[in-house]
Amino acid sequence: MKILFQYIIFPGFLFTAIVGMIASWIDRKVTARVQWRVGPPILQPLYDFIKLLGKEIIIPKGASRGTFLLSPVFGMSAIVIVSTMLWLVILSPENSFTGDLIVILYLLVIPSIAVIIGAFASKNPLASLGASREMKLILAYELPFILIVFIPVIKAGYTIKLGELLAFQAKNGVFLNHPSCIIAFIVAIMCMQAKLTLVPFDMPEAETEIMGGAYIEYSGAPLGIYKLTRMMMLFVVPMFLVIMYMGGIIFEGWHILWGILKYVLLLVIIVLIRNTSPRVRIDQAMRFFWRPMTILAVVGVCLAYLGL
Amino acid sequence: MNLIIYSISLSIIAGIMCLFIPKRTRGVAETLGVIVSLVTFIMTIMMFGREFVSKWFLIDNLSRFVVMGIGMFGFLIVLYSLKYMQGRDRINEYYAYLLITIGASIGAVLSNHLILLLVFWGVLGLTLYMLVGIGGSDASSTAKKTFIIIGGSDVIMILGVAVTWVLGKTFIMSGIEVSVNSGMSMLAFICLAVAAFAKAGAMPLHSWIPDCAEKAPVSVTAFLPASLDKLVGIYFLGRISMKMFVLNKAMGQMLLIIGAITIVAAVMMALIQHDFKRLLGYHAVSQVGYMVLGIGTCSPIGIAGGLFHMLNNTIYKCCLFLGSGAVEKRTKTSDLDKLGGLARFMPVTFVTFVIAALSISGVPPFNGFVSKWMIYQGIVDLGRKGDKLWLVWMVAAMFGSALTLASFMKLIHAVFLGQREGGEKVKEVSSLMWIPMVVLAGLCMIFGVLAFTVPLEKFILPAVPGVSFTGLFSPSLVTLMIILGVILGLIIYMLSNFKNIREDSLPYIGGEELPVETRVTGVDFYRSIKDSKILGGIYRAADKKSFDIYDVAKRVLNYFIGMLKYLHSGLLSNYVIWVVAGILVLLIVLMKGSI
């Protein structure tokens, strides 16, 4: 029963959805300001979602119906699980909830898998193209990402429990004080951008090239769920980095505000990168992640071994 | 004791009987196969609760679940073959070798005497050769290759057994406990490990598996390289590295290196394949890497993870191969360029295939994730003990897992989703073929969701003492949450305009109708990886078979044979000169002695 509440209301579905929508609003508002526009009202993401629910659902002829409609649902359910796990760890690091670092890493890939399978099921060549780009993007960022998430693990004495990583940071100061983790953090921000498929790594949907790519055939409620999932990811993925490198959020007086600031800082970085860079090609992205980023990550690992 | 003898001899005798059944009476071999494999399966289940040690045989925590696995796969494959092999010739031989294989595998796993083990091991190599050969004339060279690699490793194994005898002064496996510290003991361990590697298909002795997968009948691939050989090979590796030898650090490192290379190299090859079955064949190699890696960590959780991965791998890999067989049966091809869009026509095959594919890619909460997760903990353990290279193994394993996912996404697109050439309708395969797949896919889910209560509790943890989990994962809770999430999603659908669902628009390509022949097959999804600078070179070398130990050995051999050939020119005058020169040399040598 408790799990039901945790999963559906707090810190699961409802909470993640609301914060995700606010994050999405911040994103759009900042983007608008950067482009000298006024920007949408705060409830705009909610309006968008409700509007999509009211629209007709169209399935392309010859597509695999079940797969096409179920994929978005699975993606959303995975991201809600990650959010629940992360928040329960933040709320009480000592009794870690059911899932360690590796579980989170694997669960974070499921939304992408859902997008890919859904796109494949839609029987559209452009969707297939977009999905294959998404898959290649996963391959690209996953290599440095695996390296850097284990840098805090080395620092904290080889534990993969998130609760213990947080406890270690509460005792010895956040990981970002160390040079090795600063390097890791820089790589992590790049990987995060790719995980969220935001510019410059938005080639899976690239509106101007492949017209939304993976999402091209989606409409109505399934598209709404995809959009909601992406809003949630905009909240969950930066939170993961906050826990890994910035000590999470401590629920005591001013610390709460400080914790929220950490997240907002990451969000602003995301928005700024997204508004100031052009889209790269998929092969450029792969080269970027497999060469400079991986080398940087290896340097970070070496520094961590040296105790820095 | 009697149970062991019965279970081994029943299937071997029935197999030999099958060979003598006249060709026209086909039903007999099939009926015999079903009955005998079912009875054997039941006997292996009965063996499960027992402990037994004698001079010849041994049932302990490690061997009994492996034996049960053999029994189960034997029965499922026979069931599947009833329809799959229909209409092929040499059916009687096929069932004969299948049954002998079941018996010999049970024998190999249960034997406690190294010589007995060698005998069963040899029989397994022989039946494998015969079964691959049933694939027809173009399978014969593959069968030969398989036989040479397996047979060659058997020779090394005999050497290993001899050295082990010198060290341990006994052939009885339960009485041997050698610590690996001298050159001799290292030689013994490596020799025995080579046999296990060749059987399971770890690099560099892997090259027979992809060829086999492509040429042999699918049921044979699903039975031997995908399930039975993994069980027997990794069981043997586990037995020698846990019970018979106490590994030192160097041997552990060797296993880790082989494991890591196997994972990454094989999956990179899988990524670019154009043939359904060959692609799966490379995965059958790649997954062995995880098991070897797990055992190589030398920590209880890693070893337990490796063994659990062996069990899981046999389940989903068998299911995947059976799925490919079903597709091939209906479409008559396994070329990814020609397949596509089968999900609508073959829903059962599609769903079971997706479940198995997600399992092999390690998506929680399926079984592949749990065992990989345990192996990762073993690797972290390694780091805690001061091994600086642990991150290399970790990256190999986790990145390998991402690559696995990538190649299965391609496969799912190219076979089940996407668009098919021609696009005529096909039917779902008959229930005799999909029941084994459903059973296996169900096991994938059960072994994942109830991982701690069923497979780990009953099979793995008793076999590996002292396992302690350093991570946290509750598969049943995650499953519960996924189900809740799906319900939430369905509620959202219900709230939405769900009645107005339309299925009539054509795929949107810039407002134009899509010409029928326009299709994205998915085969070239990862072209940009193949074309990249560094990897491109490796891929080209692999295309030339530079990493295939069989072809390399063949080339070296041919080189020396070429030199000998050069001497045999057929010119009499040359020979005379050689003879005279020889006599002269002899004379000089002899005269030197006399003076």
Side-chain angles (χ1 to χ4, degrees):
Chain A
M1 214 52 222
K2 195 173 154 208
I3 202 81
L4 207 65
F5 175 78
Q6 282 170 341
Y7 185 80
I8 294 175
I9 316 279
F10 181 84
F13 176 73
L14 210 59
F15 174 68
T16 319
I18 292 170
V19 183
M21 280 177 179
I22 296 172
S24 152
W25 172 74
I26 295 176
D27 171 27
R28 289 163 75 170
K29 191 80 182 174
V30 174
T31 307
R33 297 309 303 160
V34 170
Q35 299 167 345
W36 296 100
R37 290 186 284 117
V38 182
I42 188 161
L43 286 179
Q44 191 60 45
L46 184 66
Y47 296 152
D48 287 354
F49 180 66
I50 293 172
K51 184 200 74 180
L52 279 175
L53 290 191
K55 294 274 178 191
E56 186 179 38
I57 301 171
I58 303 170
I59 301 174
K61 226 182 229 166
S64 319
R65 286 180 87 139
T67 324
F68 184 77
L69 291 177
L70 274 178
S71 306
V73 176
F74 277 103
M76 186 189 71
S77 92
I79 203 72
V80 176
I81 294 174
V82 175
S83 178
T84 315
M85 285 178 175
L86 290 182
W87 275 92
L88 288 181
V89 167
I90 289 177
L91 294 174
S92 57
E94 60 281 1
N95 52 358
S96 256
F97 194 56
T98 161
D100 54 32
L101 183 57
I102 294 167
V103 178
I104 303 267
L105 276 184
Y106 269 83
L107 283 172
L108 273 178
V109 184
I110 297 187
S112 305
I113 301 177
V115 170
I116 293 169
I117 293 188
F120 285 165
S122 63
K123 215 198 161 195
N124 188 316
L126 291 183
S128 300
L129 212 60
S132 83
R133 289 181 182 186
E134 172 104 30
M135 192 62 238
K136 279 186 273 193
L137 197 58
I138 295 177
L139 290 184
Y141 71 70
E142 203 73 357
L143 185 62
F145 197 57
I146 295 166
L147 280 167
I148 51 130
V149 293
F150 283 104
I151 290 178
V153 173
I154 297 174
K155 286 259 147 235
Y158 300 98
T159 173
I160 50 170
K161 285 183 190 157
L162 289 174
E164 285 174 15
L165 287 176
L166 273 182
F168 185 86
Q169 294 184 71
K171 219 166 98 191
N172 305 321
V174 297
F175 287 128
L176 261 190
N177 295 337
H178 306 280
S180 60
C181 290
I182 294 176
I183 292 178
F185 192 64
I186 295 169
V187 180
I189 288 175
M190 286 296 148
C191 293
M192 175 170 71
Q193 202 78 6
K195 222 174 189 32
L196 298 168
T197 55
L198 293 174
V199 184
F201 306 114
D202 70 331
M203 44 288 206
E205 56 215 70
E207 281 90 356
T208 44
E209 289 170 34
I210 48 174
M211 293 174 284
Y215 306 107
I216 188 168
E217 292 294 345
Y218 276 97
S219 56
L223 183 64
I225 294 176
Y226 267 143
K227 295 260 179 214
L228 187 65
T229 312
R230 297 199 53 174
M231 291 177 201
M232 288 175 172
M233 281 182 80
L234 197 56
F235 170 47
V236 174
V237 180
M239 263 336 276
F240 177 62
L241 293 198
V242 170
I243 290 178
M244 288 300 290
Y245 300 100
M246 301 162 97
I249 297 175
I250 300 163
F251 279 85
E252 278 174 5
W254 285 103
H255 284 295
I256 301 178
L257 197 66
W258 178 228
I260 294 172
L261 264 179
K262 288 177 194 166
Y263 168 70
V264 172
L265 174 76
L266 274 179
L267 189 61
V268 170
I269 292 177
I270 292 173
V271 176
L272 287 182
I273 295 177
R274 159 174 137 80
N275 279 301
T276 50
S277 25
R279 182 189 311 130
V280 295
R281 285 197 318 269
I282 184 70
D283 58 320
Q284 290 169 329
M286 285 168 75
R287 220 175 304 142
F288 174 70
F289 279 110
W290 283 0
R291 287 186 197 161
M293 285 300 116
T294 305
I295 292 168
L296 213 56
V298 171
V299 171
V301 172
C302 295
L303 286 180
Y305 274 139
L306 294 174
L308 290 170
Chain B
M1 183 69 192
N2 283 338
L3 198 60
I4 299 174
I5 301 275
Y6 289 149
S7 65
I8 297 169
S9 53
L10 175 71
S11 39
I12 292 183
I13 291 169
I16 294 170
M17 268 161 63
C18 277
L19 283 176
F20 294 105
I21 294 172
K23 271 193 183 145
R24 297 228 180 107
T25 51
R26 269 188 183 163
V28 183
E30 286 164 3
T31 327
L32 200 65
V34 172
I35 293 169
V36 169
S37 59
L38 181 63
V39 172
T40 313
F41 180 33
I42 292 167
M43 282 200 278
T44 56
I45 293 175
M46 279 160 64
M47 258 182 246
F48 186 70
R50 312 207 178 170
E51 293 265 350
F52 178 81
V53 187
S54 80
K55 191 179 167 198
W56 299 103
F57 292 108
L58 166 79
I59 303 179
D60 65 358
N61 291 330
L62 185 59
S63 56
R64 58 190 185 189
F65 73 88
V66 178
V67 168
M68 200 158 92
I70 293 171
M72 183 188 77
F73 285 113
F75 177 59
L76 288 179
I77 296 289
V78 170
L79 214 58
Y80 183 86
S81 307
L82 293 181
K83 277 281 174 208
Y84 180 77
M85 292 302 285
Q86 218 170 39
R88 293 196 183 217
D89 28 317
R90 298 171 71 190
I91 293 257
N92 292 345
E93 270 180 78
Y94 171 79
Y95 284 102
Y97 301 138
L98 214 59
L99 291 176
I100 295 174
T101 307
I102 296 174
S105 313
I106 294 176
V109 171
L110 289 182
S111 37
N112 194 21
H113 197 281
L114 283 169
I115 301 291
L116 192 65
L117 176 75
L118 273 177
V119 172
F120 284 124
W121 202 270
V123 172
L124 276 178
L126 187 66
T127 51
L128 176 62
Y129 168 71
M130 295 301 204
L131 278 171
V132 175
I134 282 181
S137 54
D138 52 336
S140 63
S141 67
T142 309
K144 195 175 76 189
K145 180 175 178 176
T146 307
F147 192 64
I148 287 174
I149 291 179
I150 297 281
S153 70
D154 283 359
V155 173
I156 296 174
M157 186 183 178
I158 294 174
L159 179 68
V161 167
V163 179
T164 313
W165 183 78
V166 171
L167 289 170
K169 296 279 175 287
T170 172
F171 280 122
I172 294 168
M173 288 160 81
S174 56
I176 298 174
E177 196 170 348
V178 180
S179 65
V180 181
N181 42 26
S182 62
M184 274 297 250
S185 51
M186 263 202 243
L187 179 71
F189 178 75
I190 292 176
C191 285
L192 294 178
V194 161
F197 287 157
K199 187 105 344 213
M203 285 195 175
L205 300 163
H206 66 286
S207 55
W208 62 278
I209 293 185
D211 289 7
C212 228
E214 197 179 352
K215 297 281 162 57
V218 166
S219 51
V220 171
T221 325
F223 187 51
L224 278 161
S227 46
L228 240 59
D229 282 349
K230 294 278 180 298
L231 284 174
V232 175
I234 297 297
Y235 156 78
F236 186 60
L237 186 66
R239 161 104 27 211
I240 58 174
S241 47
M242 277 164 63
K243 311 253 162 155
M244 282 168 61
F245 291 87
V246 181
L247 296 194
N248 62 357
K249 205 169 167 221
M251 288 297 104
Q253 290 285 339
M254 182 194 84
L255 291 181
L256 288 169
I257 293 170
I258 290 177
I261 293 176
T262 306
I263 293 174
V264 177
V267 78
M268 290 300 260
M269 286 307 292
L271 219 48
I272 55 155
Q273 295 305 318
H274 283 236
D275 187 275
F276 194 176
K277 293 187 288 180
R278 198 172 169 81
L279 196 157
L280 290 178
Y282 273 109
H283 280 293
V285 176
S286 161
Q287 295 297 310
V288 179
Y290 285 97
M291 307 164 206
V292 176
L293 202 65
I295 291 173
T297 60
C298 295
S299 68
I301 178 112
I303 296 175
L307 290 176
F308 191 30
H309 201 70
M310 162 192 87
L311 203 58
N312 291 336
N313 172 67
T314 51
I315 295 169
Y316 52 64
K317 188 57 59 57
C318 194
C319 183
L320 291 169
F321 270 114
L322 295 185
S324 77
V327 168
E328 198 192 12
K329 181 93 184 164
R330 281 293 177 247
T331 59
K332 303 280 180 286
T333 176
S334 64
D335 187 350
L336 293 179
D337 287 314
K338 297 195 176 120
L339 292 165
L342 295 175
R344 273 174 95 85
F345 308 122
M346 304 173 77
V348 182
T349 314
F350 172 60
V351 172
T352 52
F353 193 88
V354 168
I355 289 173
L358 292 179
S359 301
I360 195 175
S361 316
V363 173
F366 296 109
N367 60 356
F369 175 73
V370 184
S371 46
K372 279 183 185 172
W373 173 74
M374 287 168 70
I375 293 168
Y376 297 155
Q377 287 176 51
I379 298 173
V380 173
D381 242 19
L382 213 60
R384 199 175 295 130
K385 283 180 202 150
D387 183 349
K388 290 270 184 285
L389 285 175
W390 72 282
L391 208 53
V392 177
W393 320 131
M394 194 63 137
V395 168
M398 289 186 87
F399 192 55
S401 167
L403 290 167
T404 309
L405 177 71
S407 69
F408 274 97
M409 286 297 132
K410 159 180 158 178
L411 207 50
I412 287 174
H413 178 264
V415 178
F416 292 104
L417 306 170
Q419 309 92 29
R420 189 153 71 101
E421 196 181 68
E424 72 271 20
K425 286 185 180 168
V426 290
K427 273 199 320 217
E428 178 63 273
V429 288
S430 89
S431 58
L432 274 177
M433 278 174 82
W434 63 252
I435 285 172
M437 300 194 290
V438 170
V439 170
L440 292 169
L443 278 178
C444 279
M445 286 168 69
I446 293 169
F447 276 27
V449 176
L450 303 173
F452 290 98
T453 39
V454 182
L456 282 174
E457 174 82 26
K458 297 266 188 303
F459 304 148
I460 309 293
L461 295 184
V464 188
V467 175
S468 64
F469 290 90
T470 48
L472 270 179
F473 176 50
S474 156
S476 41
L477 206 54
V478 168
T479 316
L480 184 73
M481 292 203 285
I482 288 179
I483 294 170
L484 274 177
V486 172
I487 293 172
L488 269 178
L490 294 181
I491 291 173
I492 294 178
Y493 273 141
M494 238 107 93
L495 291 175
S496 75
N497 198 352
F498 201 64
K499 279 181 205 122
N500 266 333
I501 197 160
R502 240 182 345 123
E503 191 180 355
D504 58 352
S505 81
L506 288 162
Y508 184 81
I509 307 288
E512 290 181 43
E513 267 189 30
L514 185 66
V516 185
E517 63 274 14
T518 312
R519 42 195 284 276
V520 178
T521 56
V523 176
D524 287 329
F525 274 178
Y526 307 118
R527 263 288 271 292
S528 34
I529 296 177
K530 197 179 177 181
D531 293 345
S532 70
K533 257 187 211 156
I534 307 166
L535 292 173
I538 301 175
Y539 275 126
R540 276 192 294 281
D543 276 347
K544 285 187 211 137
K545 298 198 176 254
S546 304
F547 303 119
D548 184 339
I549 198 166
Y550 177 74
D551 275 80
V552 172
K554 208 163 76 180
R555 257 176 251 170
V556 172
L557 217 61
N558 275 343
Y559 179 72
F560 283 111
I561 291 172
M563 273 165 60
L564 292 177
K565 248 190 209 160
Y566 177 74
L567 295 178
H568 288 267
S569 55
L571 293 174
L572 192 64
S573 47
N574 278 5
Y575 291 169
V576 172
I577 292 171
W578 283 116
V579 170
V580 173
I583 290 173
L584 271 177
V585 170
L586 265 179
L587 266 177
I588 292 167
V589 171
L590 290 175
M591 272 160 72
K592 232 183 181 174
S594 65
I595 294 165

